[in-house]
Amino acid sequence: DAGVIQSPRHEVTEMGQEVTLRCKPISGHDYLFWYRQTMMRGLELLIYFNNNVPIDDSGMPEDRFSAKMPNASFSTLKIQPSEPRDSAVYFCASSLYLRTVSGNTIYFGEGSWLTVV
Amino acid sequence: DQQVKQNSPSLSVQEGRISILNCDYTNSMFDYFLWYKKYPAEGPTFLISISSIKDKNEDGRFTVFLNKSAKHLSLHIVPSQPGDSAVYFCAAYDYTGTASKLTFGTGTRLQVTL
């Protein structure tokens, strides 16, 4: 059973360039999440979608960040223009339910390592 | 404002000994807690969880303790094994009506030495 698939795994780009990260969630999962991992803040939720609709984007750091989910099997996180402080690992995750009352429902991809120089 | 705090960025433990990872939280609306484990170059994976109606949950070598009055939880690994070396994230759900987010801490890197 395929897990959450992210691409690219690694991206090095120059400041000011546009960066697009891609995600394919687990088939049948209604929720898709974008997280960012940094040393200072750990794993931060940037935005999440339910049935392809953005529900909460309060974690998106600024207007340079945007996310879309054109269909149930694909999402993008775009940074334009990119800055060195955007360097982090970006995780996509998906789940069948928004939350759980037992066990776990959220499954993460392997992450996209972004370095902006 | 970090609502879930893991104040120890790293921990080193000898193989066979107990590892204790700590987590503090500030949001009284948190009602379900999870621990995730993350190996390098991989995504976090679920390890163990606990509901706020319990104070302990055990799964093999892993036990999570919850002290609601202190807003504190801990993960105990006994005995620690080299394969447990990873970053451990504490996470919590808050239930606010129809909205609920999973909030993570900053992580603790555990190294189990031989």
Side-chain angles (χ1 to χ4, degrees):
Chain A
D1 200 15
V4 176
I5 299 171
Q6 292 186 244
S7 65
R9 290 298 311 277
H10 298 271
E11 174 94 6
V12 180
T13 190
E14 290 186 345
M15 182 174 63
Q17 296 297 306
E18 178 180 291
V19 173
T20 300
L21 308 178
R22 298 172 177 79
C23 176
K24 177 179 167 53
I26 293 172
S27 178
H29 281 190
D30 292 335
Y31 291 89
L32 182 139
F33 307 84
W34 282 101
Y35 283 88
R36 177 172 68 174
Q37 182 192 0
T38 61
M39 290 290 290
M40 291 299 293
R41 301 178 69 87
L43 278 164
E44 298 176 272
L45 177 64
L46 301 178
I47 185 171
Y48 79 89
F49 295 82
N50 176 215
N51 292 324
N52 315 337
V53 177
I55 302 300
D56 185 343
D57 65 354
S58 59
M60 296 286 259
E62 43 196 282
D63 292 344
R64 298 184 296 106
F65 286 69
S66 62
K68 293 182 180 179
M69 193 166 185
N71 58 62
S73 59
F74 183 66
S75 176
T76 59
L77 177 67
K78 188 174 290 187
I79 308 172
Q80 166 63 20
S82 58
E83 296 182 2
R85 59 193 168 120
D86 302 330
S87 298
V89 185
Y90 292 81
F91 288 100
C92 178
S94 71
S95 69
L96 191 55
Y97 309 109
L98 179 57
R99 61 162 284 154
T100 181
V101 294
S102 65
N104 172 64
T105 63
I106 187 166
Y107 297 88
F108 286 83
E110 294 184 323
S112 292
W113 290 68
L114 173 65
T115 303
V116 183
V117 297
Chain B
D1 179 28
Q2 198 75 24
Q3 296 187 60
V4 177
K5 301 177 185 179
Q6 294 178 257
N7 293 318
S8 299
S10 64
L11 175 67
S12 183
V13 173
Q14 264 191 328
E15 182 181 12
R17 307 293 287 265
I18 183 171
S19 295
I20 300 176
L21 293 88
N22 294 304
C23 177
D24 296 294
Y25 61 95
T26 58
N27 189 340
S28 299
M29 296 298 292
F30 287 152
D31 66 345
Y32 194 74
F33 304 88
L34 306 91
W35 285 92
Y36 285 80
K37 179 178 181 178
K38 184 187 175 307
Y39 290 118
E42 294 184 10
T45 55
F46 170 71
L47 184 59
I48 192 170
S49 62
I50 188 167
S51 166
S52 60
I53 63 173
K54 295 185 176 182
D55 55 18
K56 176 182 174 182
N57 188 26
E58 191 172 352
D59 183 3
R61 297 185 298 112
F62 302 91
T63 303
V64 57
F65 295 93
L66 175 62
N67 182 335
K68 281 193 301 181
S69 61
K71 292 192 175 68
H72 177 83
L73 66 156
S74 60
L75 173 68
H76 292 211
I77 307 173
V78 184
S80 301
Q81 298 175 353
D84 297 329
S85 297
V87 177
Y88 290 79
F89 289 97
C90 173
Y93 274 112
D94 65 77
Y95 185 64
T96 51
T98 57
S100 185
K101 295 182 187 180
L102 188 57
T103 301
F104 284 85
T106 51
T108 296
R109 182 178 301 277
L110 172 66
Q111 183 171 9
V112 180
T113 59
L114 298 173

